[in-house]
Amino acid sequence: MGPGGIEESVKAFFRAKAWALLHDPPHKMWALYGTLRLTGRGHEEEALEVWRRLGLNDVFGDPAECKEIVRRADDMASTSDRWITNFSFAGVREVFEYDQLHNVFNPRLSTPIGQLERRELEEFLGQLAGKLKRFTDPREAYHALYALYEVGWTARGLPPSLADTRAPTHTLFDHTYATTLTLNLLWPDGEVGGYAVLVDIPGIQQVVGAARKAGDFWAGSWMISAITWLTLWPFAWEFGADVLLKPSPRYNPYYHAMLCAQLGGDDRLWNSFENLYSSLYPGGLPSFEPRHAVRQPVIPGTACLILPKERPNGQKLERSSLEKEVRERFEKAFELVLTLASGESAVGEEPYAAFFKLLSGGAPGAERAPKPVVKLFRIVRDNEPKAFESLLKPRVYVADIGELYAKWLKTVKGEPGAAGRRWRS
């Protein structure tokens, strides 16, 4: 495939993901009620109007080219709800109006959803469009849309639409962000496939307890957090953050901080992050500082990716090579963090440079890493030089979703011997 073909493949990939995120408009509930519409027509036309107002035709093109595969992803992401609602509301044509969001674990708990005003919706779309127009690269535009869409809505204090008023346990954002993740299992041909990748770092408690003082316990946790994130980041950047099942990229300060550094821009571009995080703390925060966000050990030592069977550039992704690639990414992340902690050199290698740029803040030498991390590294180096190398050996499991799905279909269809076969991860 030539350069032009690769560019078009990447554009098609992120066009589908952007449309998966917007295939239901943020005001869907009120559009169905007929109380708030931008076009005077149905919610699908409303979604197209949102796409147009955000100026996404310029960077992604016409979403009509990906509607069918997104429709399938929408169906898959809604399957459990629709099994229930299509049976319970069979024959009911009227829109079921409801304005309470219920706790999925305890439905007796609920919170009311207020009315969204047209002015609020138009101001939100106008502000988001203004932020997105600076991005002309499909990958960068998608990352910005994915990060700013829900955060911008929440930071403005707007009421979330229910995804389905008949199953009021999750918002429209829950559904559309799940749809983008599900799209990975259908790309590029609409057939179920792709891979679930589990990365697990054993011996975490040994690493955390390797140092002697309380400050160093934090440092051990941070090193594991940083290594896990740097293992995942190349995949999140290449395929889109939606491939992260655990940790979730939604409301994730590491992801938001990385975008601030990776994509650049001034405070006006990313002020939604500051508004969001300030609202989450009593008394608020003075500002959202990306360099502070990545110094917190909030990324767990076990992570899961959902990857498609084809890269954005059209290259096929094989199970065997994927497992090798994940291990290599882990080894690279491990090497970079230890290099940072030892104060040997700065890291300018992509796609990792943004993370280390945030950490350094322009400080020289060993001060590029948090001081407790440097201290922990020296303690371990002086007492047990091979401690980290022997402890941090990741377990990587790759499951072929297409293969498992085919076996499941044979089982539910009752094919002889299918139920007794062993499934291999």
Side-chain angles (χ1 to χ4, degrees), residues 71-258:
R71 183 193 64 77
R72 292 207 62 194
D74 176 25
D75 288 344
M76 284 183 65
S78 310
T79 298
S80 60
D81 292 339
R82 292 177 183 177
W83 277 348
I84 299 171
T85 57
N86 289 349
F87 173 78
S88 303
F89 291 83
V92 178
R93 293 186 175 275
E94 295 82 7
V95 174
F96 179 68
E97 296 191 22
Y98 195 71
D99 63 356
Q100 297 278 329
L101 176 64
H102 287 255
N103 186 317
V104 67
F105 300 107
N106 186 355
R108 289 177 296 182
L109 302 177
S110 64
T111 186
I113 298 175
Q115 172 65 39
L116 178 68
E117 301 297 331
R118 184 185 186 92
R119 173 187 55 80
E120 295 174 321
L121 175 61
E122 291 184 337
E123 287 179 355
F124 166 76
L125 294 176
Q127 184 183 70
L128 182 57
K131 293 181 177 183
L132 295 177
K133 68 181 181 181
R134 72 185 298 271
F135 299 104
T136 58
D137 175 79
R139 176 177 283 107
E140 293 183 353
Y142 175 69
H143 273 285
L145 172 64
Y146 188 95
L148 292 171
Y149 181 42
E150 181 181 21
V151 164
W153 187 275
T154 304
R156 295 173 74 90
L158 302 180
S161 169
L162 291 170
D164 190 329
T165 55
R166 301 168 299 175
T169 57
H170 52 285
T171 70
L172 177 128
F173 292 113
D174 295 328
H175 168 64
T176 57
Y177 278 75
T179 303
T180 62
L181 183 145
T182 306
L183 184 67
N184 292 299
L185 301 177
L186 296 170
W187 188 262
D189 54 10
E191 299 298 322
V192 176
Y195 305 95
V197 183
L198 179 69
V199 184
D200 179 56
I201 303 177
I204 290 177
Q205 293 306 316
Q206 292 171 278
V207 175
V208 173
R212 300 170 181 170
K213 296 182 180 179
D216 297 324
F217 284 110
W218 171 89
S221 298
W222 181 85
M223 291 185 76
I224 296 218
S225 187
I227 291 168
T228 303
W229 179 254
L230 291 175
T231 301
L232 302 174
W233 175 245
F235 296 99
W237 177 248
E238 179 184 359
F239 291 91
D242 51 85
V243 300
L244 295 175
L245 181 62
K246 178 185 178 182
S248 172
R250 295 171 66 192
Y251 300 101
N252 188 318
Y254 264 60
Y255 176 53
H256 295 159
M258 287 290 284

Side-chain angles (χ1 to χ4, degrees), residues 210 379-389:
I379 290 172
V380 174
R381 180 193 60 191
D382 295 341
N383 293 278
E384 297 181 72
K386 298 296 182 181
F388 285 121
E389 287 84 346

Side-chain angles (χ1 to χ4, degrees), residues 19-28 43-44 46-47 50 70 74 78 82 149 163 172 175-176 179:
W19 180 243
L21 199 60
L22 298 172
H23 75 278
D24 284 335
H27 59 295
K28 176 184 177 181
H43 79 275
E44 293 183 2
E46 292 289 294
V50 168
V70 171
D74 176 25
S78 310
R82 292 177 183 177
Y149 181 42
L172 177 128
H175 168 64
T176 57
T179 303

Side-chain angles (χ1 to χ4, degrees), residues 324-397:
K324 179 182 178 183
E325 182 178 353
V326 172
R327 292 186 182 280
E328 290 174 348
R329 292 295 188 184
F330 176 88
E331 291 170 2
K332 184 64 177 179
F334 179 61
E335 172 193 330
L336 290 174
V337 170
L338 287 191
T339 298
L340 175 82
S342 67
E344 292 179 17
S345 62
V347 177
E349 183 178 344
E350 296 293 351
Y352 309 100
F355 182 82
F356 294 97
K357 176 183 176 183
L358 288 171
L359 280 176
S360 70
E367 292 184 1
R368 295 179 185 276
K371 291 181 179 179
V373 173
V374 177
K375 184 177 180 181
L376 172 61
F377 175 83
R378 289 173 177 169
I379 290 172
V380 174
R381 180 193 60 191
D382 295 341
N383 293 278
E384 297 181 72
K386 298 296 182 181
F388 285 121
E389 287 84 346
S390 62
L391 290 173
L392 297 178
K393 298 294 183 183
R395 291 188 285 255
V396 178
Y397 305 94

